[in-house]
Amino acid sequence: MHAILDVQGLSKHFQLFDQNALIPSCAEVALKVYAGQLTALVGPTGAGKSSVLKCIFRTYLPSAGRLFYRDGSDNLVDLAHASEQQILELRSREIGFVTQFLHCLPRKSALEVVSAPLLKRGIAAPEAQEKAAELLQLLNVPQRLWHVPPATFSGGEKQRINLARGLIARPRLLLLDEPTASLDPATTERVIDLLQSIKAEGVAMLAIFHQPELVTRLAEQAVRLSPPKMTTQTNLLETCA
Ligand SMILES: Nc1ncnc2c1ncn2[C@@H]1O[C@H](COP(=O)(O)OP(=O)(O)OP(=O)(O)O)[C@@H](O)[C@H]1O
Ligand SMILES: [Mg+2]
């Protein structure tokens, strides 16, 4: 079976010009993600887990490495070198990202935020809103919040909106950054069930979890990251040359 995502030698560092310093955020990461399976990314705070997901989604441009993504037409795309246009198309059709924190436009209601990915795919508004309502119900979001913008929601409520928005369009590859971190045990169980059923539909997932129990229950593979070592500027530049 071909991997949907094959990451080889991924490193990312940030240059802080005002302090003349290079901050490494992840180094020499290798991992594979398969259709219908979940690969867990584990490791301590600061190990670079979120940075890996951001490089795959191209929120961050990788400093080194190859990120081969096999798209729906069976073409291999190196996400590290794909054009902005290619990345935007993949984001709208194939790759979903449930970020650690919810970022969304003010003045859009929870229902509008969650149904937006379906509208982008050309699904009519009433059907998209119906699907969004089903998912909000499933994730225990109280109905009184559905028509309110999520900006003022609690951490757990925001996380549910974020999850619903990421899961509604069934991407081929789903990136999840601590999807259950702010949820109560009952909602966590619902999310686990939902992730199991999405996996059974064939979605490939790469997810960050801090709880080992979730890794045991959901993951087929686990990849452990260690915090990248601070290197002097000269060494890092040599590595990247
Ligand atoms: N935009 C950025 N600019 C500068 N440094 C960054 C940036 N993003 C990440 N880093 C640094 O990279 C390192 C890894 O951060 P990252 O958020 O990937 O860790 P993490 O493993 O997800 O941690 P946590 O478990 O706390 O979420 C940190 O030291 C962080 O300060
Ligand atoms: Mg993180």
Side-chain angles (χ1 to χ4, degrees):
M1 180 170 47
H2 285 305
I4 283 205
L5 181 71
D6 182 355
V7 172
Q8 304 171 3
L10 167 63
S11 301
K12 173 68 186 167
H13 61 257
F14 293 92
Q15 177 136 30
L16 303 184
F17 289 102
D18 51 343
Q19 292 163 35
N20 192 29
L22 282 177
I23 310 283
S25 71
C26 64
E28 285 299 321
V29 177
L31 59 88
K32 288 186 181 179
V33 191
Y34 296 91
Q37 296 193 6
L38 187 146
T39 298
L41 210 46
V42 296
T45 282
K49 305 179 297 297
S50 297
S51 299
V52 169
L53 297 194
K54 287 175 186 168
C55 285
I56 295 166
F57 201 62
R58 268 279 290 275
T59 313
Y60 290 167
L61 191 62
S63 307
R66 313 198 75 179
L67 288 70
F68 293 113
Y69 174 72
R70 190 173 289 277
D71 73 11
S73 316
D74 216 25
N75 298 313
L76 268 192
V77 183
D78 184 349
L79 299 174
H81 297 105
S83 68
E84 298 287 312
Q85 186 58 34
Q86 266 179 306
I87 293 292
L88 289 177
E89 274 169 28
L90 287 175
R91 285 181 184 181
S92 73
R93 288 186 290 108
E94 302 205 6
I95 304 180
F97 189 5
V98 176
T99 51
Q100 209 164 356
F101 307 103
L102 175 71
H103 309 283
C104 59
L105 293 173
R107 293 191 295 277
K108 294 263 183 228
S109 73
L111 264 180
E112 285 172 312
V113 169
V114 174
S115 55
L118 288 184
L119 296 180
K120 258 196 199 161
R121 291 196 188 191
I123 291 172
E127 194 189 331
Q129 295 233 342
E130 198 179 313
K131 286 239 162 66
E134 270 171 33
L135 207 48
L136 290 174
Q137 186 94 47
L138 192 75
L139 290 170
N140 271 337
V141 178
Q143 217 154 338
R144 66 183 159 79
L145 296 177
W146 293 6
H147 297 280
V148 178
T152 53
F153 287 9
S154 75
E157 287 162 355
K158 278 186 183 156
Q159 191 158 37
R160 287 169 223 207
I161 303 302
N162 213 10
L163 265 165
R165 182 177 58 175
L167 302 181
I168 195 163
R170 296 294 192 268
R172 290 182 72 241
L173 172 66
L174 182 59
L175 310 169
L176 297 152
D177 197 341
E178 302 192 40
T180 57
S182 334
L183 301 182
D184 56 61
T187 314
T188 299
E189 283 305 315
R190 289 194 173 205
V191 171
I192 292 172
D193 286 348
L194 198 55
L195 294 181
Q196 296 281 27
S197 68
I198 286 171
K199 207 159 65 153
E201 287 174 21
V203 175
M205 286 185 258
L206 177 61
I208 299 171
F209 293 117
H210 273 293
Q211 308 95 312
E213 184 219 334
L214 292 187
V215 177
T216 316
R217 288 178 65 185
L218 282 166
E220 275 75 22
Q221 290 90 222
V223 175
R224 174 164 293 278
L225 300 191
S226 321
K229 292 185 187 66
M230 274 302 278
T231 341
T232 65
Q233 180 154 351
T234 331
N235 281 349
L236 260 177
L237 287 174
E238 277 168 6
T239 318
C240 298

